[in-house]
Amino acid sequence: MARRFEEVISALEYSELMRFKADLDSGAAAIKKNLEESIKKRLKEHEKTCATCSSSLNFYKTSNYTLIFGPDDFRKKASFCGLDCMEYFISRLKASRAKSSEDNISNTRIE
Ligand SMILES: [Zn+2]
């Protein structure tokens, strides 16, 4: 991620770099707004690959599904090539949720 960010920075013109720095120095309000808008836009798109079987998603297929989950400030997104893959993902999610709540109970148990 850091490398890609460096590439983005190095692709900017000098005047854009200066605007970027001035915004950062004054609290980064424009950058924050820009990032939030990009995240909002991306949330509406399917991912490029299926989260279960890793096959590439054909964007014109009507059997694509995308789940958005997690708290507002840490949204996660997973796309699927069909209902079977989404079902499998949800069953794994349920199993890991059940396991972590068991762990929490055993962690809070008084010896
Ligand atoms: Zn799949």
Side-chain angles (χ1 to χ4, degrees):
M1 187 273 191
R3 197 192 178 105
R4 296 242 312 166
F5 188 69
E6 274 171 29
E7 284 169 13
V8 169
I9 295 288
S10 67
L12 294 176
E13 301 288 333
Y14 179 75
S15 61
E16 291 170 323
L17 283 172
M18 292 308 283
R19 272 210 316 265
F20 191 67
K21 189 177 178 320
D23 183 49
L24 275 181
D25 289 344
S26 63
I31 292 169
K32 202 174 164 210
K33 191 172 170 243
N34 217 304
L35 278 175
E36 282 168 356
E37 278 168 10
S38 290
I39 289 169
K40 242 190 232 167
K41 213 174 117 194
R42 295 278 181 90
L43 266 178
K44 292 179 187 160
E45 298 168 357
H46 289 302
E47 296 283 13
K48 290 182 176 69
T49 56
C50 175
T52 299
C53 71
S54 307
S55 67
S56 322
L57 291 184
N58 175 347
F59 293 96
Y60 299 102
K61 259 175 92 176
T62 52
S63 60
N64 292 338
Y65 296 89
T66 292
L67 285 178
I68 296 167
F69 52 103
D72 270 354
D73 57 348
F74 196 65
R75 279 278 161 87
K76 290 182 184 175
K77 188 170 82 160
S79 294
F80 307 95
C81 63
L83 280 174
D84 289 347
C85 281
M86 188 165 76
E87 230 175 335
Y88 180 74
F89 181 86
I90 291 171
S91 69
R92 270 185 9 215
L93 206 63
K94 264 188 184 168
S96 80
R97 274 288 163 103
K99 195 185 174 305
S100 73
S101 69
E102 267 173 33
D103 289 348
N104 284 341
I105 292 166
S106 65
N107 285 344
T108 53
R109 191 174 293 153
I110 299 164
E111 301 289 323

